Amino acid sequence: MATYSFLNVQAAIVGPGGALNIGSGAGVADEGLTITMSGDKDTQVVGADGSVMHTLNADKSGMLTLRLLKTSPTNAQLSLMYALQTVSSALHGLNVITVRDSARGDVTTCRQVAFRKQPPVTYTKAGAVLEWEFNVGIIDQLLGTGTPSL
């Protein structure tokens, strides 16, 4: 077993209107970011006689959720990108998000990324967390061994 730290996570979004750090140092909340695949990679069908057929699905789509502290300046930068990219379909869905854990060797690339919506904004006694949601057309993910090359 090894040691994990979010300090080793580098993440960035690049698209119309900006190129931003969204990893360590961007005001990311404790809940961090989550990358979720949309569909199953396999569909299994069982025939009347019990024979099994597997179908490999080409779906690589999914969703990425980024959670930022309300006080993070990254919220304002993402808000500007959102405003620009939702004015015209020519600018929509063109983002690329990369996430790397340099200590673990994990690498995830998300392409054809679109803002799903602006996050709900809550004003409360304690500072809130803003959840930015993105629809992702293609997710390529490779988890590392936890022993990076030096």
Side-chain angles (χ1 to χ4, degrees):
M1 301 301 278
T3 303
Y4 168 82
S5 173
F6 190 79
L7 295 174
N8 297 7
V9 176
Q10 297 95 35
I13 180 171
V14 176
L20 311 174
N21 170 30
I22 57 172
S24 181
V28 178
D30 279 349
E31 299 83 2
L33 59 91
T34 304
I35 302 163
T36 308
M37 300 297 285
S38 292
D40 293 335
K41 204 50 147 171
D42 178 76
T43 301
Q44 178 176 287
V45 177
V46 180
D49 66 353
S51 298
V52 174
M53 173 180 67
H54 291 277
T55 302
L56 177 61
N57 301 319
D59 184 3
K60 294 178 94 176
S61 67
M63 191 170 108
L64 185 144
T65 304
L66 170 65
R67 297 164 194 90
L68 297 174
L69 300 173
K70 173 66 176 118
T71 55
S72 170
T74 307
N75 289 308
Q77 297 167 318
L78 287 171
S79 185
L80 289 171
M81 286 180 74
Y82 173 88
L84 174 70
Q85 294 178 19
T86 56
V87 169
S88 168
S89 60
L91 301 174
H92 191 70
L94 300 177
N95 297 301
V96 174
I97 296 177
T98 55
V99 181
R100 290 183 178 85
D101 181 340
S102 59
R104 313 255 5 111
D106 300 349
V107 178
T108 303
T109 303
C110 302
R111 294 177 283 144
Q112 299 176 2
V113 179
F115 284 89
R116 190 167 185 196
K117 61 183 175 183
Q118 279 201 339
V121 178
T122 304
Y123 298 94
T124 61
K125 181 178 178 180
V129 171
L130 275 63
E131 288 194 0
W132 290 90
E133 295 180 347
F134 301 89
N135 285 328
V136 181
I138 300 169
I139 299 172
D140 290 311
Q141 189 171 57
L142 185 59
L143 300 179
T145 61
T147 52
S149 56
L150 299 175

mmCIF file of all heavy atoms in Angstrom, residues 102-145:
data_model
loop_
_atom_site.group_PDB
_atom_site.id
_atom_site.type_symbol
_atom_site.label_atom_id
_atom_site.label_comp_id
_atom_site.label_asym_id
_atom_site.label_seq_id
_atom_site.Cartn_x
_atom_site.Cartn_y
_atom_site.Cartn_z
ATOM 1 N N SER A 102 0.143 12.379 -10.359
ATOM 2 C CA SER A 102 1.551 12.106 -10.667
ATOM 3 C C SER A 102 2.163 11.050 -9.754
ATOM 4 O O SER A 102 3.079 10.331 -10.164
ATOM 5 C CB SER A 102 2.362 13.402 -10.597
ATOM 6 O OG SER A 102 2.261 13.985 -9.319
ATOM 7 N N ALA A 103 1.668 10.922 -8.546
ATOM 8 C CA ALA A 103 2.234 9.925 -7.629
ATOM 9 C C ALA A 103 1.692 8.529 -7.893
ATOM 10 O O ALA A 103 2.386 7.542 -7.675
ATOM 11 C CB ALA A 103 1.958 10.322 -6.182
ATOM 12 N N ARG A 104 0.476 8.422 -8.363
ATOM 13 C CA ARG A 104 -0.138 7.117 -8.613
ATOM 14 C C ARG A 104 0.052 6.671 -10.062
ATOM 15 O O ARG A 104 -0.082 5.504 -10.378
ATOM 16 C CB ARG A 104 -1.641 7.153 -8.306
ATOM 17 C CG ARG A 104 -1.953 7.786 -6.996
ATOM 18 C CD ARG A 104 -2.361 6.905 -5.832
ATOM 19 N NE ARG A 104 -2.328 5.498 -6.003
ATOM 20 C CZ ARG A 104 -1.459 4.692 -5.387
ATOM 21 N NH1 ARG A 104 -0.561 5.188 -4.585
ATOM 22 N NH2 ARG A 104 -1.507 3.402 -5.557
ATOM 23 N N GLY A 105 0.273 7.642 -10.962
ATOM 24 C CA GLY A 105 0.408 7.311 -12.375
ATOM 25 C C GLY A 105 -0.907 7.294 -13.130
ATOM 26 O O GLY A 105 -0.955 6.871 -14.278
ATOM 27 N N ASP A 106 -1.997 7.746 -12.498
ATOM 28 C CA ASP A 106 -3.303 7.788 -13.160
ATOM 29 C C ASP A 106 -3.339 8.903 -14.201
ATOM 30 O O ASP A 106 -2.822 9.998 -13.962
ATOM 31 C CB ASP A 106 -4.434 8.059 -12.161
ATOM 32 C CG ASP A 106 -4.534 7.006 -11.065
ATOM 33 O OD1 ASP A 106 -3.888 5.956 -11.173
ATOM 34 O OD2 ASP A 106 -5.285 7.259 -10.104
ATOM 35 N N VAL A 107 -3.977 8.626 -15.337
ATOM 36 C CA VAL A 107 -4.164 9.636 -16.382
ATOM 37 C C VAL A 107 -5.569 9.475 -16.950
ATOM 38 O O VAL A 107 -5.943 8.386 -17.397
ATOM 39 C CB VAL A 107 -3.139 9.488 -17.524
ATOM 40 C CG1 VAL A 107 -3.388 10.527 -18.607
ATOM 41 C CG2 VAL A 107 -1.722 9.597 -17.004
ATOM 42 N N THR A 108 -6.348 10.555 -16.929
ATOM 43 C CA THR A 108 -7.680 10.560 -17.526
ATOM 44 C C THR A 108 -7.783 11.747 -18.461
ATOM 45 O O THR A 108 -7.452 12.873 -18.074
ATOM 46 C CB THR A 108 -8.784 10.659 -16.444
ATOM 47 O OG1 THR A 108 -8.645 9.576 -15.530
ATOM 48 C CG2 THR A 108 -10.164 10.615 -17.073
ATOM 49 N N THR A 109 -8.242 11.484 -19.671
ATOM 50 C CA THR A 109 -8.480 12.542 -20.647
ATOM 51 C C THR A 109 -9.950 12.513 -21.024
ATOM 52 O O THR A 109 -10.484 11.460 -21.408
ATOM 53 C CB THR A 109 -7.619 12.342 -21.908
ATOM 54 O OG1 THR A 109 -6.241 12.286 -21.519
ATOM 55 C CG2 THR A 109 -7.815 13.483 -22.893
ATOM 56 N N CYS A 110 -10.597 13.663 -20.891
ATOM 57 C CA CYS A 110 -12.010 13.812 -21.239
ATOM 58 C C CYS A 110 -12.100 14.764 -22.427
ATOM 59 O O CYS A 110 -11.623 15.896 -22.346
ATOM 60 C CB CYS A 110 -12.799 14.388 -20.061
ATOM 61 S SG CYS A 110 -12.698 13.399 -18.556
ATOM 62 N N ARG A 111 -12.707 14.288 -23.525
ATOM 63 C CA ARG A 111 -12.836 15.103 -24.737
ATOM 64 C C ARG A 111 -14.311 15.312 -25.051
ATOM 65 O O ARG A 111 -15.166 14.596 -24.549
ATOM 66 C CB ARG A 111 -12.153 14.407 -25.919
ATOM 67 C CG ARG A 111 -10.638 14.313 -25.735
ATOM 68 C CD ARG A 111 -9.963 13.569 -26.864
ATOM 69 N NE ARG A 111 -10.191 12.139 -26.687
ATOM 70 C CZ ARG A 111 -10.387 11.280 -27.676
ATOM 71 N NH1 ARG A 111 -10.416 11.684 -28.917
ATOM 72 N NH2 ARG A 111 -10.573 10.001 -27.427
ATOM 73 N N GLN A 112 -14.567 16.312 -25.905
ATOM 74 C CA GLN A 112 -15.934 16.686 -26.254
ATOM 75 C C GLN A 112 -16.731 16.979 -24.988
ATOM 76 O O GLN A 112 -17.802 16.438 -24.755
ATOM 77 C CB GLN A 112 -16.608 15.599 -27.093
ATOM 78 C CG GLN A 112 -15.910 15.338 -28.406
ATOM 79 C CD GLN A 112 -16.533 14.188 -29.173
ATOM 80 O OE1 GLN A 112 -17.519 13.591 -28.751
ATOM 81 N NE2 GLN A 112 -15.947 13.856 -30.306
ATOM 82 N N VAL A 113 -16.172 17.862 -24.176
ATOM 83 C CA VAL A 113 -16.755 18.190 -22.871
ATOM 84 C C VAL A 113 -17.601 19.453 -22.976
ATOM 85 O O VAL A 113 -17.158 20.459 -23.529
ATOM 86 C CB VAL A 113 -15.636 18.389 -21.818
ATOM 87 C CG1 VAL A 113 -16.218 18.760 -20.474
ATOM 88 C CG2 VAL A 113 -14.771 17.131 -21.706
ATOM 89 N N ALA A 114 -18.808 19.379 -22.424
ATOM 90 C CA ALA A 114 -19.719 20.525 -22.415
ATOM 91 C C ALA A 114 -20.190 20.795 -20.990
ATOM 92 O O ALA A 114 -20.407 19.865 -20.202
ATOM 93 C CB ALA A 114 -20.929 20.248 -23.301
ATOM 94 N N PHE A 115 -20.336 22.072 -20.657
ATOM 95 C CA PHE A 115 -20.947 22.430 -19.386
ATOM 96 C C PHE A 115 -22.372 21.884 -19.390
ATOM 97 O O PHE A 115 -23.127 22.085 -20.335
ATOM 98 C CB PHE A 115 -21.014 23.954 -19.218
ATOM 99 C CG PHE A 115 -19.704 24.594 -18.873
ATOM 100 C CD1 PHE A 115 -18.841 25.017 -19.870
ATOM 101 C CD2 PHE A 115 -19.343 24.799 -17.544
ATOM 102 C CE1 PHE A 115 -17.636 25.630 -19.570
ATOM 103 C CE2 PHE A 115 -18.140 25.410 -17.223
ATOM 104 C CZ PHE A 115 -17.288 25.820 -18.237
ATOM 105 N N ARG A 116 -22.739 21.192 -18.330
ATOM 106 C CA ARG A 116 -24.098 20.660 -18.217
ATOM 107 C C ARG A 116 -25.064 21.758 -17.792
ATOM 108 O O ARG A 116 -26.165 21.860 -18.314
ATOM 109 C CB ARG A 116 -24.092 19.515 -17.217
ATOM 110 C CG ARG A 116 -25.347 18.737 -17.178
ATOM 111 C CD ARG A 116 -25.152 17.453 -16.425
ATOM 112 N NE ARG A 116 -26.365 16.672 -16.520
ATOM 113 C CZ ARG A 116 -26.631 15.665 -15.745
ATOM 114 N NH1 ARG A 116 -25.754 15.290 -14.830
ATOM 115 N NH2 ARG A 116 -27.739 15.004 -15.876
ATOM 116 N N LYS A 117 -24.644 22.551 -16.816
ATOM 117 C CA LYS A 117 -25.431 23.682 -16.325
ATOM 118 C C LYS A 117 -24.565 24.466 -15.350
ATOM 119 O O LYS A 117 -23.512 23.988 -14.928
ATOM 120 C CB LYS A 117 -26.705 23.215 -15.623
ATOM 121 C CG LYS A 117 -26.433 22.338 -14.401
ATOM 122 C CD LYS A 117 -27.704 21.834 -13.778
ATOM 123 C CE LYS A 117 -27.396 20.862 -12.654
ATOM 124 N NZ LYS A 117 -28.581 20.291 -12.067
ATOM 125 N N GLN A 118 -25.017 25.668 -15.017
ATOM 126 C CA GLN A 118 -24.312 26.396 -13.965
ATOM 127 C C GLN A 118 -24.664 25.758 -12.631
ATOM 128 O O GLN A 118 -25.765 25.230 -12.462
ATOM 129 C CB GLN A 118 -24.720 27.868 -13.959
ATOM 130 C CG GLN A 118 -23.998 28.663 -14.996
ATOM 131 C CD GLN A 118 -24.005 30.157 -14.684
ATOM 132 O OE1 GLN A 118 -24.822 30.648 -13.938
ATOM 133 N NE2 GLN A 118 -23.075 30.863 -15.283
ATOM 134 N N PRO A 119 -23.746 25.808 -11.675
ATOM 135 C CA PRO A 119 -24.030 25.166 -10.389
ATOM 136 C C PRO A 119 -25.048 25.963 -9.579
ATOM 137 O O PRO A 119 -25.128 27.184 -9.708
ATOM 138 C CB PRO A 119 -22.671 25.167 -9.683
ATOM 139 C CG PRO A 119 -21.940 26.312 -10.285
ATOM 140 C CD PRO A 119 -22.412 26.405 -11.709
ATOM 141 N N PRO A 120 -25.827 25.270 -8.752
ATOM 142 C CA PRO A 120 -26.682 25.990 -7.815
ATOM 143 C C PRO A 120 -25.794 26.788 -6.853
ATOM 144 O O PRO A 120 -24.741 26.295 -6.431
ATOM 145 C CB PRO A 120 -27.425 24.892 -7.056
ATOM 146 C CG PRO A 120 -27.229 23.642 -7.858
ATOM 147 C CD PRO A 120 -25.982 23.823 -8.655
ATOM 148 N N VAL A 121 -26.189 27.993 -6.530
ATOM 149 C CA VAL A 121 -25.425 28.840 -5.615
ATOM 150 C C VAL A 121 -26.249 29.017 -4.351
ATOM 151 O O VAL A 121 -27.392 29.462 -4.402
ATOM 152 C CB VAL A 121 -25.094 30.205 -6.247
ATOM 153 C CG1 VAL A 121 -24.340 31.078 -5.260
ATOM 154 C CG2 VAL A 121 -24.282 30.014 -7.522
ATOM 155 N N THR A 122 -25.657 28.650 -3.222
ATOM 156 C CA THR A 122 -26.336 28.749 -1.934
ATOM 157 C C THR A 122 -25.556 29.700 -1.039
ATOM 158 O O THR A 122 -24.334 29.598 -0.932
ATOM 159 C CB THR A 122 -26.407 27.357 -1.254
ATOM 160 O OG1 THR A 122 -27.039 26.450 -2.157
ATOM 161 C CG2 THR A 122 -27.169 27.419 0.049
ATOM 162 N N TYR A 123 -26.264 30.624 -0.412
ATOM 163 C CA TYR A 123 -25.655 31.536 0.552
ATOM 164 C C TYR A 123 -26.150 31.120 1.928
ATOM 165 O O TYR A 123 -27.334 31.220 2.227
ATOM 166 C CB TYR A 123 -26.042 32.985 0.238
ATOM 167 C CG TYR A 123 -25.550 33.433 -1.119
ATOM 168 C CD1 TYR A 123 -26.361 33.346 -2.240
ATOM 169 C CD2 TYR A 123 -24.254 33.907 -1.268
ATOM 170 C CE1 TYR A 123 -25.892 33.743 -3.486
ATOM 171 C CE2 TYR A 123 -23.781 34.296 -2.514
ATOM 172 C CZ TYR A 123 -24.611 34.217 -3.618
ATOM 173 O OH TYR A 123 -24.139 34.601 -4.841
ATOM 174 N N THR A 124 -25.235 30.611 2.757
ATOM 175 C CA THR A 124 -25.589 30.086 4.072
ATOM 176 C C THR A 124 -24.639 30.629 5.136
ATOM 177 O O THR A 124 -23.731 31.404 4.827
ATOM 178 C CB THR A 124 -25.497 28.548 4.076
ATOM 179 O OG1 THR A 124 -24.147 28.177 3.769
ATOM 180 C CG2 THR A 124 -26.426 27.925 3.048
ATOM 181 N N LYS A 125 -24.834 30.187 6.362
ATOM 182 C CA LYS A 125 -23.985 30.601 7.475
ATOM 183 C C LYS A 125 -22.525 30.237 7.218
ATOM 184 O O LYS A 125 -21.624 31.038 7.419
ATOM 185 C CB LYS A 125 -24.476 29.938 8.767
ATOM 186 C CG LYS A 125 -23.681 30.305 9.989
ATOM 187 C CD LYS A 125 -24.263 29.633 11.223
ATOM 188 C CE LYS A 125 -23.422 29.959 12.443
ATOM 189 N NZ LYS A 125 -23.965 29.327 13.646
ATOM 190 N N ALA A 126 -22.324 29.018 6.772
ATOM 191 C CA ALA A 126 -20.971 28.563 6.423
ATOM 192 C C ALA A 126 -20.836 28.577 4.905
ATOM 193 O O ALA A 126 -21.824 28.400 4.190
ATOM 194 C CB ALA A 126 -20.739 27.148 6.952
ATOM 195 N N GLY A 127 -19.639 28.792 4.423
ATOM 196 C CA GLY A 127 -19.412 28.827 2.977
ATOM 197 C C GLY A 127 -19.847 27.540 2.302
ATOM 198 O O GLY A 127 -19.693 26.452 2.845
ATOM 199 N N ALA A 128 -20.385 27.668 1.116
ATOM 200 C CA ALA A 128 -20.923 26.530 0.382
ATOM 201 C C ALA A 128 -19.876 25.940 -0.578
ATOM 202 O O ALA A 128 -18.796 26.492 -0.758
ATOM 203 C CB ALA A 128 -22.160 26.960 -0.396
ATOM 204 N N VAL A 129 -20.255 24.847 -1.191
ATOM 205 C CA VAL A 129 -19.467 24.195 -2.229
ATOM 206 C C VAL A 129 -20.268 24.295 -3.518
ATOM 207 O O VAL A 129 -21.461 24.000 -3.541
ATOM 208 C CB VAL A 129 -19.195 22.716 -1.871
ATOM 209 C CG1 VAL A 129 -18.564 21.978 -3.033
ATOM 210 C CG2 VAL A 129 -18.317 22.626 -0.627
ATOM 211 N N LEU A 130 -19.625 24.726 -4.596
ATOM 212 C CA LEU A 130 -20.278 24.787 -5.899
ATOM 213 C C LEU A 130 -19.885 23.557 -6.698
ATOM 214 O O LEU A 130 -18.700 23.225 -6.801
ATOM 215 C CB LEU A 130 -19.869 26.050 -6.666
ATOM 216 C CG LEU A 130 -20.684 27.309 -6.352
ATOM 217 C CD1 LEU A 130 -20.531 27.747 -4.926
ATOM 218 C CD2 LEU A 130 -20.333 28.416 -7.312
ATOM 219 N N GLU A 131 -20.890 22.872 -7.249
ATOM 220 C CA GLU A 131 -20.655 21.662 -8.038
ATOM 221 C C GLU A 131 -20.859 21.965 -9.510
ATOM 222 O O GLU A 131 -21.988 22.183 -9.962
ATOM 223 C CB GLU A 131 -21.597 20.538 -7.604
ATOM 224 C CG GLU A 131 -21.259 19.949 -6.265
ATOM 225 C CD GLU A 131 -21.978 18.638 -5.986
ATOM 226 O OE1 GLU A 131 -22.762 18.163 -6.837
ATOM 227 O OE2 GLU A 131 -21.740 18.085 -4.911
ATOM 228 N N TRP A 132 -19.772 21.973 -10.244
ATOM 229 C CA TRP A 132 -19.803 22.166 -11.689
ATOM 230 C C TRP A 132 -19.921 20.797 -12.339
ATOM 231 O O TRP A 132 -19.095 19.921 -12.102
ATOM 232 C CB TRP A 132 -18.526 22.860 -12.162
ATOM 233 C CG TRP A 132 -18.434 24.283 -11.734
ATOM 234 C CD1 TRP A 132 -17.878 24.774 -10.585
ATOM 235 C CD2 TRP A 132 -18.922 25.415 -12.453
ATOM 236 N NE1 TRP A 132 -17.989 26.143 -10.556
ATOM 237 C CE2 TRP A 132 -18.624 26.569 -11.692
ATOM 238 C CE3 TRP A 132 -19.579 25.576 -13.678
ATOM 239 C CZ2 TRP A 132 -18.958 27.849 -12.108
ATOM 240 C CZ3 TRP A 132 -19.913 26.854 -14.097
ATOM 241 C CH2 TRP A 132 -19.600 27.976 -13.316
ATOM 242 N N GLU A 133 -20.941 20.612 -13.182
ATOM 243 C CA GLU A 133 -21.154 19.345 -13.857
ATOM 244 C C GLU A 133 -20.894 19.500 -15.351
ATOM 245 O O GLU A 133 -21.320 20.470 -15.966
ATOM 246 C CB GLU A 133 -22.586 18.848 -13.631
ATOM 247 C CG GLU A 133 -22.872 18.509 -12.189
ATOM 248 C CD GLU A 133 -24.302 18.027 -11.978
ATOM 249 O OE1 GLU A 133 -25.144 18.187 -12.893
ATOM 250 O OE2 GLU A 133 -24.572 17.492 -10.904
ATOM 251 N N PHE A 134 -20.194 18.514 -15.896
ATOM 252 C CA PHE A 134 -19.849 18.502 -17.309
ATOM 253 C C PHE A 134 -20.285 17.188 -17.938
ATOM 254 O O PHE A 134 -20.069 16.127 -17.353
ATOM 255 C CB PHE A 134 -18.330 18.637 -17.495
ATOM 256 C CG PHE A 134 -17.735 19.884 -16.913
ATOM 257 C CD1 PHE A 134 -17.295 19.920 -15.602
ATOM 258 C CD2 PHE A 134 -17.603 21.033 -17.688
ATOM 259 C CE1 PHE A 134 -16.731 21.076 -15.062
ATOM 260 C CE2 PHE A 134 -17.050 22.189 -17.156
ATOM 261 C CZ PHE A 134 -16.614 22.210 -15.846
ATOM 262 N N ASN A 135 -20.879 17.252 -19.113
ATOM 263 C CA ASN A 135 -21.125 16.052 -19.911
ATOM 264 C C ASN A 135 -19.886 15.806 -20.755
ATOM 265 O O ASN A 135 -19.328 16.740 -21.333
ATOM 266 C CB ASN A 135 -22.348 16.233 -20.811
ATOM 267 C CG ASN A 135 -23.642 16.145 -20.025
ATOM 268 O OD1 ASN A 135 -23.729 15.430 -19.034
ATOM 269 N ND2 ASN A 135 -24.647 16.861 -20.462
ATOM 270 N N VAL A 136 -19.462 14.553 -20.797
ATOM 271 C CA VAL A 136 -18.221 14.191 -21.491
ATOM 272 C C VAL A 136 -18.554 13.212 -22.613
ATOM 273 O O VAL A 136 -19.185 12.179 -22.372
ATOM 274 C CB VAL A 136 -17.210 13.554 -20.514
ATOM 275 C CG1 VAL A 136 -15.927 13.194 -21.229
ATOM 276 C CG2 VAL A 136 -16.932 14.481 -19.342
ATOM 277 N N GLY A 137 -18.105 13.533 -23.827
ATOM 278 C CA GLY A 137 -18.342 12.651 -24.969
ATOM 279 C C GLY A 137 -17.455 11.426 -24.945
ATOM 280 O O GLY A 137 -17.901 10.308 -25.195
ATOM 281 N N ILE A 138 -16.171 11.620 -24.634
ATOM 282 C CA ILE A 138 -15.205 10.511 -24.666
ATOM 283 C C ILE A 138 -14.299 10.583 -23.437
ATOM 284 O O ILE A 138 -13.652 11.604 -23.204
ATOM 285 C CB ILE A 138 -14.340 10.565 -25.942
ATOM 286 C CG1 ILE A 138 -15.226 10.472 -27.182
ATOM 287 C CG2 ILE A 138 -13.290 9.463 -25.938
ATOM 288 C CD1 ILE A 138 -14.493 10.775 -28.476
ATOM 289 N N ILE A 139 -14.272 9.506 -22.676
ATOM 290 C CA ILE A 139 -13.383 9.396 -21.515
ATOM 291 C C ILE A 139 -12.369 8.287 -21.794
ATOM 292 O O ILE A 139 -12.744 7.141 -22.055
ATOM 293 C CB ILE A 139 -14.151 9.057 -20.223
ATOM 294 C CG1 ILE A 139 -15.159 10.155 -19.888
ATOM 295 C CG2 ILE A 139 -13.178 8.837 -19.058
ATOM 296 C CD1 ILE A 139 -16.087 9.813 -18.737
ATOM 297 N N ASP A 140 -11.100 8.653 -21.759
ATOM 298 C CA ASP A 140 -10.015 7.669 -21.839
ATOM 299 C C ASP A 140 -9.302 7.697 -20.488
ATOM 300 O O ASP A 140 -8.782 8.736 -20.092
ATOM 301 C CB ASP A 140 -9.035 8.018 -22.967
ATOM 302 C CG ASP A 140 -9.655 7.822 -24.337
ATOM 303 O OD1 ASP A 140 -10.237 6.754 -24.565
ATOM 304 O OD2 ASP A 140 -9.564 8.746 -25.163
ATOM 305 N N GLN A 141 -9.296 6.562 -19.817
ATOM 306 C CA GLN A 141 -8.757 6.519 -18.459
ATOM 307 C C GLN A 141 -7.819 5.337 -18.293
ATOM 308 O O GLN A 141 -8.128 4.224 -18.719
ATOM 309 C CB GLN A 141 -9.910 6.410 -17.457
ATOM 310 C CG GLN A 141 -9.504 6.561 -16.015
ATOM 311 C CD GLN A 141 -10.724 6.654 -15.107
ATOM 312 O OE1 GLN A 141 -11.548 5.764 -15.117
ATOM 313 N NE2 GLN A 141 -10.816 7.731 -14.366
ATOM 314 N N LEU A 142 -6.680 5.618 -17.691
ATOM 315 C CA LEU A 142 -5.712 4.573 -17.385
ATOM 316 C C LEU A 142 -5.239 4.791 -15.957
ATOM 317 O O LEU A 142 -4.663 5.836 -15.643
ATOM 318 C CB LEU A 142 -4.532 4.623 -18.353
ATOM 319 C CG LEU A 142 -3.495 3.522 -18.219
ATOM 320 C CD1 LEU A 142 -4.123 2.138 -18.414
ATOM 321 C CD2 LEU A 142 -2.374 3.732 -19.207
ATOM 322 N N LEU A 143 -5.531 3.840 -15.088
ATOM 323 C CA LEU A 143 -5.089 3.929 -13.698
ATOM 324 C C LEU A 143 -3.668 3.406 -13.588
ATOM 325 O O LEU A 143 -3.320 2.386 -14.189
ATOM 326 C CB LEU A 143 -6.027 3.156 -12.782
ATOM 327 C CG LEU A 143 -7.478 3.633 -12.784
ATOM 328 C CD1 LEU A 143 -8.325 2.766 -11.851
ATOM 329 C CD2 LEU A 143 -7.572 5.083 -12.387
ATOM 330 N N GLY A 144 -2.869 4.095 -12.808
ATOM 331 C CA GLY A 144 -1.471 3.727 -12.661
ATOM 332 C C GLY A 144 -1.253 2.664 -11.613
ATOM 333 O O GLY A 144 -2.162 2.244 -10.911
ATOM 334 N N THR A 145 -0.013 2.271 -11.479
ATOM 335 C CA THR A 145 0.352 1.206 -10.557
ATOM 336 C C THR A 145 0.622 1.728 -9.148
ATOM 337 O O THR A 145 0.775 0.948 -8.212
ATOM 338 C CB THR A 145 1.622 0.488 -11.042
ATOM 339 O OG1 THR A 145 2.688 1.444 -11.079
ATOM 340 C CG2 THR A 145 1.422 -0.113 -12.417
#
